Amino acid sequence: MDLASLVGMLLGVAMFIIGVMTSTDNPVAGFQAMFNLPSIVITLGGSISGVLGANKLDDFISGFKSIGLTFKNDVLDPAATIKNIIDLSNTARKEGLLALEEAANGIEDDFLKKGIMLVVDGTDPELVRGIMETDLSCVEDRHKKCIAFWEKWAELGPAWGMIGTLIGLVLMLQDMQDPNAIGPKMAVALLTTLYGSLIANWLCNPTASKLKVNNAQEMMMKEITVEGILSIQAGENPRVIEEKLKSFLAPSARQTAAAEGGGDE
């Protein structure tokens, strides 16, 4: 599990609770004031209906489920991927490209294995690049649909919060005979704006940002794989391949990649 997302959400709840408790002499009454069922229905229900209307049903369901991806801790190790590619390049250099078919049996990365098998089958390099980049593009498109789901919800949450506030203000202004009731009614009207801000800034924006980070990491891994496979097919020196692939990494990560092993001469 990715503790960053979990801890971030829990800290957000804690900050909200502390803020309410320290803002009033009666915390129980303060928390009761933060809850209003009609405001929840307007903000949550309205924003979800807007997101549903903006998406295909399958995309809506997939987007909603994608929140689970923010808590998964799928370790993507570019250094390990580079090492695998260098090992394959050494095998191809010593024994020929056909020897990669047997080596591919032990590869767990389906994307890398697919590329290796295309090379073994003698596929034209441009066609190999086209097939793999199409695969990469389709994966990224699916990721972007999930990210767009959360970005749209982050956009509609505050908007429906404002709609709820306007509804509350209209109802309040229609009945102003009791001055003592104006303050409580105004507070209730503002709750929808609060709920909309919470939806956007506690849930949706952090989720969209984490999905973007995950997408960028996966795309980098796949780009490394594509360049590595094409370099193997071109018969480049393993050390040259290693230096080329390490250029994708941050300077600190390049040292790690170098420590895990390099190509043979």
Side-chain angles (χ1 to χ4, degrees):
M1 176 176 285
D2 185 356
L3 292 178
S5 293
L6 179 61
V7 171
M9 286 192 169
L10 292 178
L11 279 175
V13 173
M15 295 303 103
F16 179 80
I17 292 174
I18 292 172
V20 173
M21 291 181 65
T22 56
S23 299
T24 178
D25 295 331
N26 189 345
V28 175
F31 284 115
Q32 289 176 343
M34 292 296 110
F35 179 82
N36 181 261
L37 184 59
S39 296
I40 293 174
V41 171
I42 291 172
T43 309
L44 187 61
S47 60
I48 289 178
S49 67
V51 176
L52 177 59
N55 288 275
K56 298 287 188 180
L57 182 59
D58 290 342
D59 294 337
F60 175 85
I61 295 172
S62 298
F64 202 83
K65 289 180 178 178
S66 65
I67 190 172
L69 299 175
T70 64
F71 299 106
K72 286 187 177 181
N73 191 24
D74 294 333
V75 179
L76 299 177
D77 188 355
T81 298
I82 292 174
K83 183 178 184 302
N84 287 336
I85 292 173
I86 298 307
D87 290 341
L88 291 169
S89 69
N90 286 324
T91 299
R93 190 174 181 84
K94 294 175 181 177
E95 304 175 30
L97 292 177
L98 294 179
L100 295 177
E101 183 172 8
E102 182 177 352
N105 294 328
I107 297 176
E108 297 181 358
D109 185 342
D110 292 335
F111 188 69
L112 176 57
K113 187 173 184 177
K114 176 181 179 178
I116 291 297
M117 295 310 299
L118 287 172
V119 170
V120 170
D121 291 340
T123 309
D124 182 78
E126 287 303 315
L127 184 55
V128 172
R129 178 183 290 276
I131 292 173
M132 300 196 72
E133 287 186 347
T134 299
D135 192 332
L136 186 153
S137 177
C138 290
V139 170
E140 187 172 25
D141 285 343
R142 290 194 294 271
H143 291 175
K144 286 182 176 180
K145 286 181 180 180
C146 292
I147 293 169
F149 170 92
W150 293 102
E151 289 179 335
K152 177 57 70 174
W153 198 359
E155 174 187 333
L156 293 179
W160 273 92
M162 183 56 66
I163 290 172
T165 295
L166 293 174
I167 291 173
L169 289 176
V170 169
L171 296 176
M172 182 189 75
L173 293 173
Q174 283 185 336
D175 183 15
M176 297 186 65
Q177 296 178 357
D178 183 5
N180 293 327
I182 294 177
K185 288 181 179 179
M186 184 67 181
V188 171
L190 291 174
L191 277 178
T192 53
T193 298
L194 171 64
Y195 294 153
S197 296
L198 287 174
I199 288 172
N201 299 297
W202 175 71
L203 176 64
C204 297
N205 281 328
T207 300
S209 295
K210 178 56 70 71
L211 292 177
K212 286 180 181 179
V213 169
N214 292 345
N215 175 67
Q217 289 179 340
E218 185 172 348
M219 290 304 102
M220 183 185 70
M221 293 284 288
K222 291 185 181 298
E223 288 170 2
I224 288 173
T225 300
V226 172
E227 290 301 323
I229 287 172
L230 292 173
S231 296
I232 291 173
Q233 188 175 27
E236 295 178 8
N237 187 293
R239 289 196 180 277
V240 174
I241 297 175
E242 180 182 12
E243 292 303 318
K244 179 192 296 186
L245 299 185
K246 281 164 59 178
S247 65
F248 284 91
L249 308 179
S252 58
R254 294 175 190 178
Q255 299 298 324
T256 302
E260 290 192 5
D264 296 339
E265 289 288 354

